[in-house]
PDB file of all heavy atoms in Angstrom:
ATOM      1  N   HIS M  25       1.101   8.240  15.888  1.00 80.00           N
ATOM      2  CA  HIS M  25       1.806   9.347  15.271  1.00 80.00           C
ATOM      3  C   HIS M  25       1.486  10.673  15.861  1.00 80.00           C
ATOM      4  O   HIS M  25       2.417  11.510  16.006  1.00 80.00           O
ATOM      5  CB  HIS M  25       1.528   9.305  13.752  1.00 80.00           C
ATOM      6  CG  HIS M  25       2.488  10.038  12.978  1.00 80.00           C
ATOM      7  ND1 HIS M  25       3.808   9.587  12.760  1.00 80.00           N
ATOM      8  CD2 HIS M  25       2.480  11.244  12.259  1.00 80.00           C
ATOM      9  CE1 HIS M  25       4.474  10.363  12.047  1.00 80.00           C
ATOM     10  NE2 HIS M  25       3.724  11.422  11.727  1.00 80.00           N
ATOM     11  N   ILE M  26       0.311  10.954  16.193  1.00 83.00           N
ATOM     12  CA  ILE M  26      -0.015  12.262  16.823  1.00 83.00           C
ATOM     13  C   ILE M  26       0.721  12.490  18.094  1.00 83.00           C
ATOM     14  O   ILE M  26       1.241  13.566  18.365  1.00 83.00           O
ATOM     15  CB  ILE M  26      -1.562  12.435  16.993  1.00 83.00           C
ATOM     16  CG1 ILE M  26      -2.267  12.485  15.651  1.00 83.00           C
ATOM     17  CG2 ILE M  26      -1.924  13.649  17.831  1.00 83.00           C
ATOM     18  CD1 ILE M  26      -3.797  12.509  15.722  1.00 83.00           C
ATOM     19  N   ALA M  27       0.794  11.478  18.931  1.00 86.00           N
ATOM     20  CA  ALA M  27       1.572  11.561  20.218  1.00 86.00           C
ATOM     21  C   ALA M  27       2.994  11.880  19.959  1.00 86.00           C
ATOM     22  O   ALA M  27       3.701  12.667  20.602  1.00 86.00           O
ATOM     23  CB  ALA M  27       1.407  10.331  21.043  1.00 86.00           C
ATOM     24  N   PHE M  28       3.561  11.229  18.910  1.00 86.00           N
ATOM     25  CA  PHE M  28       4.973  11.472  18.525  1.00 86.00           C
ATOM     26  C   PHE M  28       5.149  12.930  18.016  1.00 86.00           C
ATOM     27  O   PHE M  28       6.181  13.562  18.335  1.00 86.00           O
ATOM     28  CB  PHE M  28       5.484  10.482  17.464  1.00 86.00           C
ATOM     29  CG  PHE M  28       5.569   9.042  17.984  1.00 86.00           C
ATOM     30  CD1 PHE M  28       5.325   7.994  17.121  1.00 86.00           C
ATOM     31  CD2 PHE M  28       5.821   8.730  19.285  1.00 86.00           C
ATOM     32  CE1 PHE M  28       5.363   6.693  17.582  1.00 86.00           C
ATOM     33  CE2 PHE M  28       5.873   7.484  19.783  1.00 86.00           C
ATOM     34  CZ  PHE M  28       5.664   6.470  18.856  1.00 86.00           C
ATOM     35  N   LEU M  29       4.209  13.370  17.254  1.00 84.00           N
ATOM     36  CA  LEU M  29       4.297  14.799  16.812  1.00 84.00           C
ATOM     37  C   LEU M  29       4.275  15.745  17.951  1.00 84.00           C
ATOM     38  O   LEU M  29       5.053  16.740  17.956  1.00 84.00           O
ATOM     39  CB  LEU M  29       3.160  15.111  15.827  1.00 84.00           C
ATOM     40  CG  LEU M  29       3.200  14.444  14.482  1.00 84.00           C
ATOM     41  CD1 LEU M  29       1.886  14.665  13.708  1.00 84.00           C
ATOM     42  CD2 LEU M  29       4.373  14.903  13.650  1.00 84.00           C
ATOM     43  N   LYS M  30       3.411  15.502  18.952  1.00 85.00           N
ATOM     44  CA  LYS M  30       3.323  16.365  20.104  1.00 85.00           C
ATOM     45  C   LYS M  30       4.617  16.305  20.960  1.00 85.00           C
ATOM     46  O   LYS M  30       5.045  17.320  21.533  1.00 85.00           O
ATOM     47  CB  LYS M  30       2.158  15.956  20.947  1.00 85.00           C
ATOM     48  CG  LYS M  30       0.814  16.312  20.370  1.00 85.00           C
ATOM     49  CD  LYS M  30      -0.325  15.890  21.261  1.00 85.00           C
ATOM     50  CE  LYS M  30      -1.650  16.274  20.611  1.00 85.00           C
ATOM     51  NZ  LYS M  30      -2.815  15.795  21.350  1.00 85.00           N
ATOM     52  N   ALA M  31       5.281  15.162  20.958  1.00 85.00           N
ATOM     53  CA  ALA M  31       6.524  14.969  21.632  1.00 85.00           C
ATOM     54  C   ALA M  31       7.724  15.711  21.001  1.00 85.00           C
ATOM     55  O   ALA M  31       8.768  15.961  21.640  1.00 85.00           O
ATOM     56  CB  ALA M  31       6.875  13.513  21.853  1.00 85.00           C
ATOM     57  N   ARG M  32       7.578  15.952  19.699  1.00 90.00           N
ATOM     58  CA  ARG M  32       8.530  16.692  18.856  1.00 90.00           C
ATOM     59  C   ARG M  32       9.928  16.088  18.829  1.00 90.00           C
ATOM     60  O   ARG M  32      10.943  16.715  18.764  1.00 90.00           O
ATOM     61  CB  ARG M  32       8.682  18.120  19.365  1.00 90.00           C
ATOM     62  CG  ARG M  32       7.349  18.922  19.176  1.00 90.00           C
ATOM     63  CD  ARG M  32       7.478  20.287  19.675  1.00 90.00           C
ATOM     64  NE  ARG M  32       6.267  20.984  19.443  1.00 90.00           N
ATOM     65  CZ  ARG M  32       6.171  22.235  19.066  1.00 90.00           C
ATOM     66  NH1 ARG M  32       7.200  22.913  18.795  1.00 90.00           N
ATOM     67  NH2 ARG M  32       4.940  22.795  18.905  1.00 90.00           N
ATOM     68  N   ASP M  33       9.964  14.770  18.798  1.00 84.00           N
ATOM     69  CA  ASP M  33      11.247  14.069  18.624  1.00 84.00           C
ATOM     70  C   ASP M  33      11.366  13.709  17.154  1.00 84.00           C
ATOM     71  O   ASP M  33      10.729  12.725  16.663  1.00 84.00           O
ATOM     72  CB  ASP M  33      11.273  12.788  19.493  1.00 84.00           C
ATOM     73  CG  ASP M  33      12.653  12.092  19.441  1.00 84.00           C
ATOM     74  OD1 ASP M  33      13.386  12.163  18.473  1.00 84.00           O
ATOM     75  OD2 ASP M  33      12.934  11.328  20.368  1.00 84.00           O
ATOM     76  N   LYS M  34      12.203  14.448  16.433  1.00 87.00           N
ATOM     77  CA  LYS M  34      12.292  14.329  15.007  1.00 87.00           C
ATOM     78  C   LYS M  34      12.624  12.923  14.538  1.00 87.00           C
ATOM     79  O   LYS M  34      12.021  12.383  13.611  1.00 87.00           O
ATOM     80  CB  LYS M  34      13.346  15.280  14.469  1.00 87.00           C
ATOM     81  CG  LYS M  34      13.463  15.260  12.948  1.00 87.00           C
ATOM     82  CD  LYS M  34      14.497  16.256  12.470  1.00 87.00           C
ATOM     83  CE  LYS M  34      14.703  16.048  10.972  1.00 87.00           C
ATOM     84  NZ  LYS M  34      15.807  16.863  10.451  1.00 87.00           N
ATOM     85  N   ASN M  35      13.573  12.255  15.248  1.00 89.00           N
ATOM     86  CA  ASN M  35      13.972  10.901  14.788  1.00 89.00           C
ATOM     87  C   ASN M  35      12.854   9.906  14.992  1.00 89.00           C
ATOM     88  O   ASN M  35      12.586   9.049  14.124  1.00 89.00           O
ATOM     89  CB  ASN M  35      15.209  10.439  15.664  1.00 89.00           C
ATOM     90  CG  ASN M  35      16.452  11.238  15.302  1.00 89.00           C
ATOM     91  OD1 ASN M  35      16.570  11.719  14.171  1.00 89.00           O
ATOM     92  ND2 ASN M  35      17.311  11.460  16.309  1.00 89.00           N
ATOM     93  N   VAL M  36      12.118  10.006  16.097  1.00 86.00           N
ATOM     94  CA  VAL M  36      11.008   9.077  16.287  1.00 86.00           C
ATOM     95  C   VAL M  36       9.903   9.302  15.332  1.00 86.00           C
ATOM     96  O   VAL M  36       9.353   8.343  14.798  1.00 86.00           O
ATOM     97  CB  VAL M  36      10.436   9.244  17.783  1.00 86.00           C
ATOM     98  CG1 VAL M  36       9.178   8.450  17.957  1.00 86.00           C
ATOM     99  CG2 VAL M  36      11.469   8.834  18.766  1.00 86.00           C
ATOM    100  N   ILE M  37       9.604  10.558  14.994  1.00 86.00           N
ATOM    101  CA  ILE M  37       8.586  10.898  14.005  1.00 86.00           C
ATOM    102  C   ILE M  37       8.979  10.384  12.680  1.00 86.00           C
ATOM    103  O   ILE M  37       8.135   9.757  11.981  1.00 86.00           O
ATOM    104  CB  ILE M  37       8.387  12.457  13.925  1.00 86.00           C
ATOM    105  CG1 ILE M  37       7.794  12.961  15.213  1.00 86.00           C
ATOM    106  CG2 ILE M  37       7.519  12.836  12.764  1.00 86.00           C
ATOM    107  CD1 ILE M  37       7.842  14.534  15.372  1.00 86.00           C
ATOM    108  N   GLU M  38      10.160  10.587  12.239  1.00 89.00           N
ATOM    109  CA  GLU M  38      10.643  10.093  10.919  1.00 89.00           C
ATOM    110  C   GLU M  38      10.587   8.596  10.815  1.00 89.00           C
ATOM    111  O   GLU M  38      10.187   7.995   9.802  1.00 89.00           O
ATOM    112  CB  GLU M  38      12.047  10.636  10.602  1.00 89.00           C
ATOM    113  CG  GLU M  38      12.028  12.074  10.256  1.00 89.00           C
ATOM    114  CD  GLU M  38      13.439  12.672  10.061  1.00 89.00           C
ATOM    115  OE1 GLU M  38      14.419  11.925  10.318  1.00 89.00           O
ATOM    116  OE2 GLU M  38      13.563  13.791   9.634  1.00 89.00           O
ATOM    117  N   GLU M  39      11.073   7.879  11.862  1.00 89.00           N
ATOM    118  CA  GLU M  39      11.047   6.381  11.858  1.00 89.00           C
ATOM    119  C   GLU M  39       9.593   5.909  11.783  1.00 89.00           C
ATOM    120  O   GLU M  39       9.273   4.919  11.135  1.00 89.00           O
ATOM    121  CB  GLU M  39      11.762   5.842  13.109  1.00 89.00           C
ATOM    122  CG  GLU M  39      13.322   5.870  12.928  1.00 89.00           C
ATOM    123  CD  GLU M  39      13.729   5.019  11.735  1.00 89.00           C
ATOM    124  OE1 GLU M  39      13.348   3.895  11.586  1.00 89.00           O
ATOM    125  OE2 GLU M  39      14.596   5.578  10.949  1.00 89.00           O
ATOM    126  N   ASN M  40       8.771   6.480  12.651  1.00 84.00           N
ATOM    127  CA  ASN M  40       7.330   6.077  12.668  1.00 84.00           C
ATOM    128  C   ASN M  40       6.676   6.269  11.265  1.00 84.00           C
ATOM    129  O   ASN M  40       5.968   5.410  10.797  1.00 84.00           O
ATOM    130  CB  ASN M  40       6.610   6.828  13.715  1.00 84.00           C
ATOM    131  CG  ASN M  40       5.241   6.271  13.992  1.00 84.00           C
ATOM    132  OD1 ASN M  40       5.146   5.113  14.400  1.00 84.00           O
ATOM    133  ND2 ASN M  40       4.184   7.085  13.777  1.00 84.00           N
TER     134      ASN M  40
END
Side-chain angles (χ1 to χ4, degrees):
H25 201 69
I26 291 174
F28 293 148
L29 290 172
K30 289 179 181 177
R32 296 181 179 220
D33 184 336
K34 182 182 174 185
N35 292 330
V36 172
I37 293 167
E38 288 176 352
E39 281 299 312
N40 191 60

